[in-house]
Amino acid sequence: MQDFSDILVLTSPIFLLIATGYTVVRLGYLSRQAISFFAWFVINFGLPAAIFKALSSRSLQDILHFNYLLIFGLGSLLSFCLLFAIAKARSKSLTQCAMFGLGASLSNSLMIGFPVITQLFGEAALVPFSLTLIVENIFILPLALALADTGEEAGDSFFASLRSALPKLLKNPIILSILLGLLSVFFAIKPPAIIFTAVQMLAQTVAALALFTIGGMLVGVNPKGMMTDISLIVTGKLLLHPLCVALMIYLLPPMSALFNSVALILACMPMFSIYAVFGLRYNMGDICSAVLLPATVLAFFVINTVIWLLV
């Protein structure tokens, strides 16, 4: 176990970049609209390039880890279901319950998790990271949105809502980069050197820009007036989610220490940044926006503590 000050040396620059992005936008040097363009670039170009580069440079044996998919998937599903049940016990609607569960089970793996785990473990961490994105984007997110849509439209069945959500995922650049990376490995096809170099250059732009962007997106978020609901979602995300993943690690077949660490650290991330966007879609924009700031601030302490215990 490392000294806690050593952990802070590794992680503090990450949160310093978030604080820098927040300060720059808060002082008016950049607008939130400009920050949204940064986010678009990171999600649609930078991260897909990093994921494709990481997957396509490995063997099939290196990237097919079904036990990781099972462990992280079941842990995330358990966290989702527990928050869903708690919200239901508090007389929330089906749509509200689905959004509570989503907030407690879908990490900001892309914008915060990626820089954290690559800072700690290097490029080797991108394999479990990519598997995490498969769980989040192909399993947890469609499940939550299908439940939320079912609550909004009484005429639609759960499975009809789920079917309508799946085709959109195939247009997601993150999902496409994972699929292309897997196909590259499976068929042993390597891109031409010129293309791979361009992909590599794009991949190198991601970490700092993603963190700066997250900070800028937190400007204007107001957590006042909804403290009970905010506390439930934040507790679900920062404590319940990693505990559920830890339980699955304990119960299911063992993985490598690297995969265990990445799974737990990614589970400790605050909820994904576009949680507020989905909230607006279901008339829950206030609560889904308000939860982002306290979750991101408290995540600093949770992430550092978990890393200190693991590394």
Side-chain angles (χ1 to χ4, degrees):
M1 183 181 294
Q2 291 190 26
D3 187 87
F4 195 72
S5 61
D6 295 333
I7 301 300
L8 289 177
V9 168
L10 287 173
T11 60
S12 292
I14 290 165
F15 288 90
L16 180 61
L17 282 171
I18 293 175
T20 301
Y22 180 90
T23 302
V24 167
V25 176
R26 188 79 176 88
L27 295 178
Y29 293 110
L30 276 178
S31 66
R32 279 183 59 91
Q33 184 180 16
I35 287 293
S36 70
F37 293 141
F38 291 166
W40 183 89
F41 173 80
V42 168
I43 291 171
N44 290 284
F45 284 95
L47 278 167
I51 292 167
F52 176 78
K53 174 180 175 291
L55 292 179
S56 62
S57 60
R58 284 173 167 76
S59 68
L60 191 63
Q61 185 178 0
D62 288 338
I63 62 177
L64 288 183
H65 296 275
F66 296 107
N67 54 339
Y68 185 94
L69 293 172
L70 187 64
I71 286 170
F72 198 87
L74 290 179
S76 299
L77 179 62
L78 179 58
S79 183
F80 177 94
C81 291
L82 289 173
L83 253 290
F84 185 99
I86 291 171
K88 194 66 177 175
R90 300 185 67 244
S91 301
K92 302 291 185 182
S93 69
L94 176 60
T95 297
Q96 290 171 325
C97 292
M99 292 306 294
F100 270 60
L102 185 63
S105 58
L106 198 63
S107 296
N108 197 338
S109 302
L110 293 172
M111 306 287 271
I112 303 179
F114 174 84
V116 170
I117 61 169
T118 51
Q119 174 82 355
L120 290 169
F121 306 113
E123 194 173 283
L126 290 181
V127 171
F129 171 77
S130 299
L131 297 173
T132 300
L133 295 182
I134 291 174
V135 170
E136 292 176 339
N137 289 280
I138 299 181
F139 179 44
I140 297 297
L141 184 58
L143 170 66
L145 296 184
L147 285 169
D149 285 342
T150 302
E152 288 279 293
E153 302 175 21
D156 285 351
S157 69
F158 167 74
F159 291 105
S161 299
L162 185 62
R163 282 196 301 271
S164 68
L166 288 177
K168 298 175 185 177
L169 290 173
L170 296 177
K171 300 177 182 179
N172 185 321
I174 300 294
I175 301 302
L176 287 175
S177 68
I178 293 172
L179 293 176
L180 288 174
L182 292 174
L183 289 173
S184 173
V185 173
F186 187 79
F187 291 106
I189 299 174
K190 299 297 180 183
I194 295 176
I195 294 177
F196 190 78
T197 300
V199 168
Q200 190 171 21
M201 292 172 67
L202 273 175
Q204 291 169 348
T205 67
V206 177
L209 185 58
L211 295 169
F212 183 89
T213 301
I214 279 293
M217 293 176 69
L218 293 176
V219 175
V221 171
N222 184 5
K224 295 180 180 178
M226 298 166 280
M227 292 312 297
T228 301
D229 287 345
I230 289 173
S231 299
L232 276 175
I233 299 173
V234 171
T235 301
K237 185 67 205 69
L238 299 183
L239 294 179
L240 188 60
H241 191 195
L243 286 174
C244 289
V245 171
L247 177 64
M248 294 303 148
I249 289 173
Y250 176 76
L251 293 176
L252 295 174
M255 302 188 295
S256 69
L258 170 65
F259 278 52
N260 286 340
S261 297
V262 170
L264 288 170
I265 291 169
L266 290 179
C268 292
M269 297 296 143
M271 62 285 301
F272 63 124
S273 54
I274 57 171
Y275 183 55
V277 176
F278 286 114
L280 288 170
R281 175 178 172 181
Y282 299 111
N283 298 313
M284 292 179 64
D286 289 344
I287 178 66
C288 292
S289 297
V291 78
L292 291 175
L293 183 58
T296 303
V297 171
L298 292 173
F300 172 81
F301 302 99
V302 175
I303 292 167
N304 279 296
T305 301
V306 170
I307 291 172
W308 178 60
L309 293 171
L310 291 174
V311 178

